[in-house]
Amino acid sequence: MVSDAIKKQLCAIVGAENVLDADLDRFGYSYDSSFVPLIPPNKPDLVVRPMTTAEVAAVMALAHANTIPVTPRGAASGRTGGCIPLAGGISLALDRMTRILEIDEQNMLVTAEPGVRTIDLYNACAAKDLFYPPDPASWKFSTIGGNVAENAGGMRAVKYGVTNNYVMGLEVVLADGTVINTGGKALKNVTGYNLTGLFTGSEGTLGVITKVLLRLIPMPKMRNTLQLMFPALDNACLTIHKMLQSGVTPAAAELMDQTSIQAVARHRHLVIDPAIEACVVIEIDGEDTESLEKQAHQIEAIAHSFGVAEVRIAASVQEAEDIWSIRRGLSSAIGAMAPNRFGEDISVPRNEFPAVMRRIREVAAKYNLCIAVYGHAGDGNLHPSVLCDLSRPEEAERVHQAIDEIFAAALDAGGTLSGEHGIGITKKGYIANALGNAGVNTLKTIKQSLDPKGILNPGKIW
Amino acid sequence: MVSDAIKKQLCAIVGAENVLDADLDRFGYSYDSSFVPLIPPNKPDLVVRPMTTAEVAAVMALAHANTIPVTPRGAASGRTGGCIPLAGGISLALDRMTRILEIDEQNMLVTAEPGVRTIDLYNACAAKDLFYPPDPASWKFSTIGGNVAENAGGMRAVKYGVTNNYVMGLEVVLADGTVINTGGKALKNVTGYNLTGLFTGSEGTLGVITKVLLRLIPMPKMRNTLQLMFPALDNACLTIHKMLQSGVTPAAAELMDQTSIQAVARHRHLVIDPAIEACVVIEIDGEDTESLEKQAHQIEAIAHSFGVAEVRIAASVQEAEDIWSIRRGLSSAIGAMAPNRFGEDISVPRNEFPAVMRRIREVAAKYNLCIAVYGHAGDGNLHPSVLCDLSRPEEAERVHQAIDEIFAAALDAGGTLSGEHGIGITKKGYIANALGNAGVNTLKTIKQSLDPKGILNPGKIW
């Protein structure tokens, strides 16, 4: 428990109105967007909402001196429990640090505080014809600090990479309150270890990110969308493969399996041919109409060589929106199919995508479960959703066995536990399978060196 | 000194023929390609040449148990003393680990041992129409392990990034002989901290890289070269800027100042108009002739708007080679101008490039020195070469003052000490200026945690 004396000091740092300790507030900061909530809830002792780096540093120095756990929190849109204050202590909410500090048009860079919503950052840059590509599904509510802490991915990763590929520098408050700056505006920078890369994706366990410097690229002038319907799942995967190897790199290449397609059909009262095994949605972009037409025709030709049943090339922005709305509505449509759902996030070498999809279907059959699979086929990142009713203990047991087998399938294929959601709480039981004990020990060694008292986001990753 | 008993154990691990301790051998392993050699030479006690990861692990375990310094060594092509065994002990030469283990065409990945020469790796991939873009100037003799350890850059960074952007995974032997694997073949991977990024660019101080997994991309189908001659240096820089902001991203955009141009002219008996202040060499690539022509015309139009004196678009592969040979011959041409040369490697935000070039000219005037400047203007990475005669102590003093001011200029402009050469020995005196004491302490903390006895490449970075 945080003592009254400490609470008084925290109030002096951030203002009494920014230290919350009512039970309802504490409850509100006890969960994130993980698929299955932890019961009973893990309430923080206090919620602290700093406004400046100096305030974050003072909070950390105080927490460090008194060995109080601190769990940083963005928009709580994470899927793996990253911001859940497992050990109580302080929930450090960064939702008041919402300024975009600079858009440097000449160097194509943006500097922002961690609480800026990803979509607001995107729009502010887009208004200057600059493009911040990473687009996690949560981008309308997630914040950039959380995106960096989790190394968020998204649909555009196949062409543009993930958050990590855009982080040029960070301001970080370490566990003891020390403020450091990593990286900078120079594109090439090999001065010292790559701390920017180390803190990116460290899930709030190594430091609190208080400022991010991100690289931007020129906004592509034109975009278009294609929808491909395949009678055979394998051929859908092969089409994506062949396309990438031919040098046609789409901005996004999403795949939905039959279960996913039919879930959307039910949800939106559409009729989709039950013989269709896979739907692929592709976004292409470029500098002019010719470039887009050329890409579309190349993709169409490849799809036909793999027996596509239907190719739809959007003829208008509205039609492109219609196609994407199916993909975007997928999570809700699948969620509506059962009382509970475990949405996983495995990532595999691209050529293993079809084999792993098949293996997941076998797992579904073996455990008599409905598992919808969709994902970012262009980069090998799959989201298998296990649908279930956890109020039935026997079913819950089968679900956990199925998830164990799905993770094993990813690792057997040379893949990993998480492509973009992080490890957090929900996957920590599996991390030694992925990294080996020596790998996990290396993570722990680094953690111990930077946070010797273990106050930053305790209980995560391993 | 390494005892006879240890030497015997090392011979048992790698074979007696792979443990060298003749004075001449030790001398041969005492230097790298830094511009100015350290005198007296820093000879290792022994040179050890392992063939396998297991041998590296056994050597490290033995060194760790006996607190013997180990300095890993690739091709010794580094410019900052990274592989010089400052503290004696073992020079761990990885030149026998030269196998390309796999080219995975489907996933566009290559796995190689550290001793593979960069150009051999490039060629093996190119034979399968796959492209490994990073091209440090040393790529004909440097090895991939060294490229990863230093996070090597090159001319293609402006479009394709540096080594770090291609490293997907590593096998690393830690200081105590533990072997870990980082990353993997999945394109998206957020399982645990980004150790791949941490070891890349760690200059042999955190672990010995024994295997690298690199991402490849499809080989561009066509390339061409442009040469632009400008009467005004600033306009050369503005042309590059404008081009990048218009969405025309060349594969390389190199700039040479007047001193550099005239050095080449003298060296190769060419006549170049003395009114030319800057020469820009641009490589463009793409999928077809139309794309190349379009890029060339856009660049030409921008260059004309900034008063270019001459635009040459190569009409043949031979002409492209001729243009590049000037840029490639630059280092030798400049080296021939004076008995000694300090070639620096500062990196600045792109828009600061002209201001920093001007500041370096002021420094040259102030200290009455000849400083040739060329570099990767597309990414803000400059190579100022201070030409001098170190046999004159008074001149040597001026040179060091000039270099201090060049580093200060880079930092004042929001840039950094090194874009691609690393810190090693030669820049360690400046690192606290770049990262601050808190930043350097963070590096030391991580180093201490992973190498508590400080046996790996001691004396480097700080």
Side-chain angles (χ1 to χ4, degrees), chain A residues 84-328:
Chain A
I84 295 178
L86 268 191
I90 294 170
S91 173
L92 191 70
L94 298 155
D95 58 342
R96 293 174 65 227
M97 298 181 71
T98 58
R99 289 180 303 163
I100 293 178
L101 299 168
E102 182 194 40
I103 297 178
D104 176 348
E105 291 184 70
Q106 285 213 52
N107 291 305
M108 296 191 266
L109 297 166
V110 58
T111 307
E113 292 183 333
V116 176
R117 282 192 309 167
T118 314
I119 195 168
D120 293 338
L121 185 113
Y122 172 90
N123 284 332
C125 299
K128 297 184 186 297
D129 234 15
L130 292 168
F131 184 29
Y132 176 67
D135 60 341
S138 58
W139 74 321
K140 289 192 180 165
F141 38 94
S142 69
T143 51
I144 195 68
N147 285 185
V148 172
E150 299 290 327
N151 190 13
M155 301 207 221
R156 297 195 187 110
V158 54
K159 180 166 185 173
Y160 294 108
V162 298
T163 304
N164 179 43
N165 301 110
Y166 293 86
V167 186
M168 295 283 296
L170 295 172
E171 179 185 79
V172 180
V173 178
L174 300 179
D176 66 359
T178 304
V179 181
I180 62 167
N181 286 281
T182 73
K185 285 190 173 186
L187 284 172
K188 278 161 142 177
N189 185 338
V190 293
T191 301
Y193 305 148
N194 179 8
L195 296 180
T196 308
L198 180 64
F199 286 105
T200 301
S202 64
E203 306 195 18
T205 64
L206 298 181
V208 183
I209 293 162
T210 48
K211 208 181 281 177
V212 300
L213 173 67
L214 302 165
R215 188 169 70 86
L216 305 168
I217 58 176
M219 184 64 80
K221 293 199 178 54
M222 311 195 83
R223 284 184 182 144
N224 204 2
T225 300
L226 287 80
Q227 186 188 61
L228 315 175
M229 296 297 211
F230 287 91
L233 177 63
D234 276 20
N235 285 344
C237 297
L238 287 169
T239 297
I240 293 171
H241 242 96
K242 180 73 181 172
M243 175 179 75
L244 292 164
Q245 289 190 311
S246 312
V248 181
T249 307
E254 297 290 305
L255 184 143
M256 294 167 251
D257 76 349
Q258 203 165 33
T259 310
S260 304
I261 299 166
Q262 294 304 329
V264 177
R266 266 195 300 281
H267 200 59
R268 316 186 124 224
H269 309 291
L270 306 169
V271 176
I272 297 175
D273 182 353
I276 294 300
E277 265 197 7
C279 168
V280 172
V281 177
I282 291 175
E283 183 172 281
I284 49 178
D285 60 16
E287 291 304 295
D288 50 39
T289 321
E290 296 74 50
S291 153
L292 257 60
E293 278 174 2
K294 191 175 165 190
Q295 289 179 66
H297 290 149
Q298 284 177 293
I299 294 168
E300 200 175 4
I302 294 166
H304 279 298
S305 77
F306 288 108
V308 70
E310 187 198 321
V311 175
R312 187 172 159 197
I313 302 176
S316 65
V317 172
Q318 185 54 48
E319 192 177 354
E321 273 304 306
D322 289 348
I323 295 173
W324 275 109
S325 70
I326 292 178
R327 170 65 183 84
R328 290 209 193 91

Side-chain angles (χ1 to χ4, degrees), chain B residues 9-10 12-15 48-65 68 70-73 90-98 113-115 171-180 204 206-211 455-456:
Chain B
Q9 290 180 69
L10 288 167
I13 295 168
V14 298
V48 178
R49 301 174 65 222
M51 182 76 172
T52 65
T53 302
E55 289 178 10
V56 173
V59 171
M60 289 310 306
L62 184 65
H64 189 256
I68 298 166
V70 177
T71 299
R73 183 183 182 94
I90 294 169
S91 173
L92 190 70
L94 298 155
D95 58 343
R96 292 175 67 228
M97 297 181 71
T98 58
E113 291 183 334
E171 180 185 78
V172 180
V173 178
L174 300 178
D176 65 358
T178 304
V179 181
I180 63 167
L206 299 181
V208 183
I209 293 162
T210 48
K211 206 181 283 176
I455 60 170
L456 267 169

Side-chain angles (χ1 to χ4, degrees), chain A residues 104-109 130 150-155 157 162 164-165 174 178-181 183-195 197-203 205-206 218 221 238 241 244-249 287-288 290 294 345 347-352 376 378-381 383 414-423 431 434-435 438-439 442-447 449-450 461-462, chain B residues 104-109 130 150-155 157 162 164-165 174 178-181 183-195 197-203 205-206 218 221 238 241 244-249 287-288 290 294 345 347-352 376 378-381 383 414-423 431 434-435 438-439 442-447 449-450 461-462:
Chain A
D104 176 348
E105 291 184 70
Q106 285 213 52
N107 291 305
M108 296 191 266
L109 297 166
L130 292 168
E150 299 290 327
N151 190 13
M155 301 207 221
V162 298
N164 179 43
N165 301 110
L174 300 179
T178 304
V179 181
I180 62 167
N181 286 281
K185 285 190 173 186
L187 284 172
K188 278 161 142 177
N189 185 338
V190 293
T191 301
Y193 305 148
N194 179 8
L195 296 180
L198 180 64
F199 286 105
T200 301
S202 64
E203 306 195 18
T205 64
L206 298 181
K221 293 199 178 54
L238 287 169
H241 242 96
L244 292 164
Q245 289 190 311
S246 312
V248 181
T249 307
E287 291 304 295
D288 50 39
E290 296 74 50
K294 191 175 165 190
D345 167 44
S347 184
V348 299
R350 212 146 48 188
N351 71 331
E352 296 288 346
H376 315 302
D379 55 51
N381 184 197
H383 296 304
T416 191
L417 303 176
S418 177
E420 53 188 17
H421 293 172
I423 302 300
I431 192 164
L435 303 185
T442 307
L443 304 188
K444 288 181 181 174
T445 300
I446 293 170
K447 163 73 174 176
S449 75
L450 292 176
I461 304 183
W462 51 78
Chain B
D104 175 348
E105 291 184 69
Q106 285 214 52
N107 292 305
M108 296 191 265
L109 297 166
L130 292 168
E150 298 290 327
N151 190 13
M155 301 208 220
V162 298
N164 179 44
N165 301 111
L174 300 178
T178 304
V179 181
I180 63 167
N181 286 280
K185 285 190 171 186
L187 285 173
K188 279 162 141 175
N189 186 338
V190 293
T191 300
Y193 304 149
N194 178 7
L195 296 181
L198 180 65
F199 286 103
T200 301
S202 64
E203 305 194 19
T205 64
L206 299 181
K221 295 200 176 53
L238 287 169
H241 241 95
L244 292 165
Q245 289 190 309
S246 312
V248 181
T249 308
E287 290 305 293
D288 50 40
E290 296 75 50
K294 191 173 165 191
D345 166 45
S347 184
V348 299
R350 210 147 49 191
N351 72 329
E352 296 288 345
H376 316 301
D379 55 51
N381 185 196
H383 295 306
T416 191
L417 304 176
S418 177
E420 54 189 17
H421 293 172
I423 301 300
I431 193 165
L435 303 184
T442 306
L443 304 188
K444 288 181 180 173
T445 299
I446 292 170
K447 163 73 174 175
S449 75
L450 292 176
I461 305 183
W462 53 77

